[in-house]
């Protein structure tokens, strides 16, 4: 399997608390992405990175921030969690060239 | 109009049947196309890339119609193990971070 792991796998947190999700890759790929998946909406891009310290917003970036200080790690932070951020979060990596993404196993986040 | 649209299904087919899914996209500048398979509560996994000339991988055939802006996936001789949700993904220009936009998925149920 591709070297991409997400942590934690499951998390329950309270409204208003900050939460950080981690994506770690061992593939040395330049591109990394954070998506959320919700029924009826499918996968929606939150933020992405095209290199160390190079990040940009996706279509649903409000309430989220990211950081990439090393090639292998891409962190997603919910600054103040809300119930609308209850979702499954997937990280993905992409090799240079015409290749698709490889996804991590996902993080199931519940905000109560 | 959504950027990428799929019929959500479910498509219920008997084992051995041939089934086809379509996916339409709105951005005529799109340059990369993929089909993913997602099992329940799992991450999406790349099934196949879609090339302009069409491509086949065993029982699976993918085609691209740029004029009508859709991609298709044909599954022949369906197996019970093909039951899953099939997501199409469409990507823009390389300079745009290689981002993919996903459809909401089409659910396939293969029955005895």
């Amino acid at each position: 399997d591709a070297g991409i792991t997400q942590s934690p796998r499951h998390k329950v947190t309270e409204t208003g608390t900050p939460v950080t999700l981690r994506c770690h890759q061992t593939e040395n790929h330049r591109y990394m992405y954070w998506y959320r998946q919700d029924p009826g909406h499918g996968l929606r891009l939150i933020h992405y990175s095209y290199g160390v310290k190079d990040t940009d917003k996706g279509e649903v970036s409000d309430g989220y921030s990211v950081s990439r200080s090393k090639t292998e790690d891409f962190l997603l932070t919910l600054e103040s969690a809300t119930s609308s951020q209850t979702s499954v979060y997937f990280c993905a990596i992409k090799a240079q060239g015409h290749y698709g993404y490889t996804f991590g196993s996902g993080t199931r986040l519940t905000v109560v | 109009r959504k950027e990428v649209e799929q019929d959500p299904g479910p498509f219920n087919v008997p084992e051995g049947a041939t089934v086809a899914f379509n996916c339409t996209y709105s951005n005529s500048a799109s340059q990369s196309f993929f089909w993913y398979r997602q099992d329940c509560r799992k991450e999406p996994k790349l099934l196949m890339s879609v090339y302009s000339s069409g491509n086949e991988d065993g029982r699976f055939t993918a085609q691209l119609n740029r004029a009508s802006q859709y991609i298709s996936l044909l599954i022949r001789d369906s197996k019970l193990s093909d039951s899953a949700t099939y997501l199409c993904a469409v990507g823009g220009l390389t300079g745009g971070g290689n981002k993919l936009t996903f459809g909401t998925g089409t659910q396939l149920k293969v029955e005895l």
Side-chain angles (χ1 to χ4, degrees), chain B residues 28-94:
Chain B
S28 59
S30 299
Q31 296 197 346
S32 54
F33 308 89
F34 305 93
W35 283 102
Y36 281 79
R37 171 195 169 122
Q38 186 173 25
D39 294 294
C40 189
R41 300 179 73 82
K42 298 286 189 179
E43 74 273 22
K45 293 190 175 177
L46 182 63
L47 182 64
M48 57 198 302
S49 303
V50 186
Y51 302 114
S52 297
S53 55
N55 47 297
E56 189 174 307
D57 183 2
R59 298 182 293 109
F60 298 83
T61 300
Q63 292 197 311
L64 167 64
N65 185 316
R66 285 192 182 273
S68 300
Q69 294 183 205
Y70 73 87
I71 61 174
S72 63
L73 178 68
L74 182 77
I75 305 175
R76 290 182 299 277
D77 189 23
S78 299
K79 313 289 185 191
L80 294 175
S81 58
D82 293 334
S83 297
T85 296
Y86 291 84
L87 309 173
C88 63
V90 176
L93 300 175
T94 302

Side-chain angles (χ1 to χ4, degrees), chain A residues 31 33 35 37 40-41 43 45 48 90 94 98-101 103-105 108, chain B residues 2 31-32 34 36 38 41-44 51 87 96-100 102 104:
Chain A
Y31 297 98
Y33 307 84
Y35 283 81
Q37 188 174 37
H41 292 280
L43 286 158
L45 181 64
Y48 66 99
F90 287 106
K94 183 191 176 304
H98 183 74
Y99 300 102
Y101 295 172
F103 284 89
S105 300
R108 293 187 173 275
Chain B
K2 288 185 179 179
Q31 296 197 346
S32 54
F34 305 93
Y36 281 79
Q38 186 173 25
R41 300 179 73 82
K42 298 286 189 179
E43 74 273 22
Y51 302 114
L87 309 173
N98 290 277
K99 295 175 289 185
L100 292 180
F102 288 81
T104 52

Side-chain angles (χ1 to χ4, degrees), chain A residues 35-46 59-60 64 82-90 107-109, chain B residues 2 38 87 102-105:
Chain A
Y35 283 81
R36 61 178 288 176
Q37 188 174 37
D38 305 285
H41 292 280
L43 286 158
R44 291 180 292 174
L45 181 64
I46 305 171
E59 65 174 299
V60 291
Y64 302 94
T82 67
S83 58
S84 65
Q85 293 176 312
T86 292
S87 186
V88 181
Y89 291 85
F90 287 106
T107 295
R108 293 187 173 275
L109 177 69
Chain B
K2 288 185 179 179
Q38 186 173 25
L87 309 173
F102 288 81
T104 52

Side-chain angles (χ1 to χ4, degrees), chain A residues 4-104:
Chain A
I4 175 172
T5 55
Q6 292 184 232
S7 59
R9 293 293 308 276
H10 302 270
K11 186 169 182 68
V12 180
T13 192
E14 292 186 349
T15 299
T17 60
V19 177
T20 295
L21 309 182
R22 181 182 185 232
C23 179
H24 178 78
Q25 61 147 333
T26 57
E27 306 295 316
N28 202 36
H29 288 335
R30 178 181 172 190
Y31 297 98
M32 299 185 76
Y33 307 84
W34 277 108
Y35 283 81
R36 61 178 288 176
Q37 188 174 37
D38 305 285
H41 292 280
L43 286 158
R44 291 180 292 174
L45 181 64
I46 305 171
H47 280 279
Y48 66 99
S49 172
Y50 46 95
V52 173
K53 292 191 168 66
D54 291 324
T55 65
D56 207 347
K57 296 179 180 180
E59 65 174 299
V60 291
S61 60
D62 286 349
Y64 302 94
S65 62
V66 289
S67 67
R68 192 165 177 204
S69 58
K70 299 184 289 186
T71 299
E72 56 266 36
D73 289 325
F74 192 31
L75 304 180
L76 176 71
T77 297
L78 287 65
E79 292 140 10
S80 176
T82 67
S83 58
S84 65
Q85 293 176 312
T86 292
S87 186
V88 181
Y89 291 85
F90 287 106
C91 176
I93 58 176
K94 183 191 176 304
Q96 200 84 356
H98 183 74
Y99 300 102
Y101 295 172
T102 299
F103 284 89

